[in-house]
Amino acid sequence: QSAPTQPRAVSGSPGQSVTISCTGTSGEIDRYDYVSWYQQHPGKAPKLLIFNVDKRPSGVPDRFSGSKSGDTASLTISGLQAEDETDYYCCSYSGSYTYVFGTGTKVTVL
Amino acid sequence: EVHLVESGGGLVQPGGSLRLSCSTSGFTLSSYWMHWVRQAPGKGPVWLSRISTDGSSISYSDSVKGRFTISRDNAKKTVFLQMNSLREEDTALYYCTREVIVGVSAGDAFDIWGQGTMVTVSS
């Protein structure tokens, strides 16, 4: 399977909102409601932010929210903070118990 | 506290084999589906393989199917990844990760990750 496409980079000022898109290449995002989002700081393992399109695990701030429309999922970070500057990846179930991560987006806080 | 600790990585020549282990603690391994994910230096994560709670259901990405084998020993609280016919493109940090439980079912997302073990395939 090909990786869902994410913008290479997005940026915003502190307090603003940014949205990262994740567009499927094989219809997997449209077909299944199993999109998750991960935050990864340099040298660290990915951290789960969102699962099942729009569900937040306990402990994840409500500044992070997820949504989906057709074959594109989105992660929105509201009230952008300095510590949000890092890499973000989407991941989608792609059938037959397989999964595919997105291409990744670097968020810069201006 | 929940922990996953990977081990078994190292330097191996092309065509060689390695067996990775993922030692778990702080939760009941037999209740969770488990996965392996890798990340090449400077690249994004790539999903590799999934194993059901009792090992009866297994899946692989096309890139490793036929070369890698996932297994588990719930009594020893450990998940394994046997890697054969290694190629230079298999060079990456290999993570063990736990699938989240949503209600009473596996949730198709990964909520706990280890720190990873580095595999370098080079002559």
Side-chain angles (χ1 to χ4, degrees), chain B residues 15-90:
Chain B
S17 299
L18 278 177
R19 189 192 197 204
L20 307 184
S21 298
C22 171
S23 177
T24 73
S25 60
F27 67 101
T28 303
L29 178 62
S30 58
S31 297
Y32 289 85
W33 292 63
M34 297 295 292
H35 299 248
W36 285 95
V37 173
R38 72 183 178 190
Q39 189 168 24
K43 304 294 186 181
V46 174
W47 178 84
L48 297 179
S49 183
R50 179 200 206 191
I51 186 167
S52 62
T53 54
D54 62 358
S56 62
S57 176
I58 285 173
S59 54
Y60 298 98
S61 69
D62 289 343
S63 62
V64 304
K65 194 178 300 180
R67 299 189 299 125
F68 291 10
T69 303
I70 192 171
S71 62
R72 63 193 295 159
D73 185 332
N74 288 336
K76 294 184 177 178
K77 301 180 181 180
T78 304
V79 182
F80 304 99
L81 186 69
Q82 176 67 42
M83 305 188 298
N84 298 331
S85 303
L86 283 162
R87 307 165 180 167
E88 291 189 352
E89 55 263 37
D90 294 318

Side-chain angles (χ1 to χ4, degrees), chain A residues 1 34-36 38 40 43-48 50-52 89 91 93 96-103, chain B residues 33 35 37 39 43-47 50 57 59-60 62 95 99-100 102 107-111 113-115:
Chain A
Q1 306 89 344
Y34 300 129
V35 177
S36 52
Y38 302 84
Q40 187 177 30
K44 301 294 187 182
K47 174 189 174 183
L48 179 63
I50 297 288
F51 66 95
N52 290 6
Y89 297 94
C91 181
Y93 179 70
S96 302
Y97 298 118
T98 65
Y99 301 80
V100 60
F101 281 89
T103 53
Chain B
W33 292 63
H35 299 248
V37 173
Q39 189 168 24
K43 304 294 186 181
V46 174
W47 178 84
R50 179 200 206 191
S57 176
S59 54
Y60 298 98
D62 289 343
Y95 291 105
E99 185 165 340
V100 67
V102 179
D108 301 291
F110 318 118
D111 64 344
W113 296 66
Q115 84 291 347

Side-chain angles (χ1 to χ4, degrees), chain A residues 1-21:
Chain A
Q1 306 89 344
S2 298
T5 303
Q6 299 179 229
R8 189 177 296 269
V10 300
S11 61
S13 299
Q16 287 187 332
S17 293
V18 295
T19 295
I20 302 168
S21 60

Side-chain angles (χ1 to χ4, degrees), chain A residues 8-71:
Chain A
R8 189 177 296 269
V10 300
S11 61
S13 299
Q16 287 187 332
S17 293
V18 295
T19 295
I20 302 168
S21 60
C22 169
T23 301
T25 57
S26 307
E28 65 275 10
I29 292 177
D30 190 23
R31 190 174 304 124
Y32 306 108
D33 286 335
Y34 300 129
V35 177
S36 52
W37 288 91
Y38 302 84
Q39 178 191 62
Q40 187 177 30
H41 286 284
K44 301 294 187 182
K47 174 189 174 183
L48 179 63
L49 293 178
I50 297 288
F51 66 95
N52 290 6
V53 176
D54 58 4
K55 307 294 187 291
R56 265 188 319 275
S58 61
V60 174
D62 59 6
R63 304 187 295 105
F64 295 92
S65 62
S67 63
K68 189 186 86 164
S69 177
D71 210 26

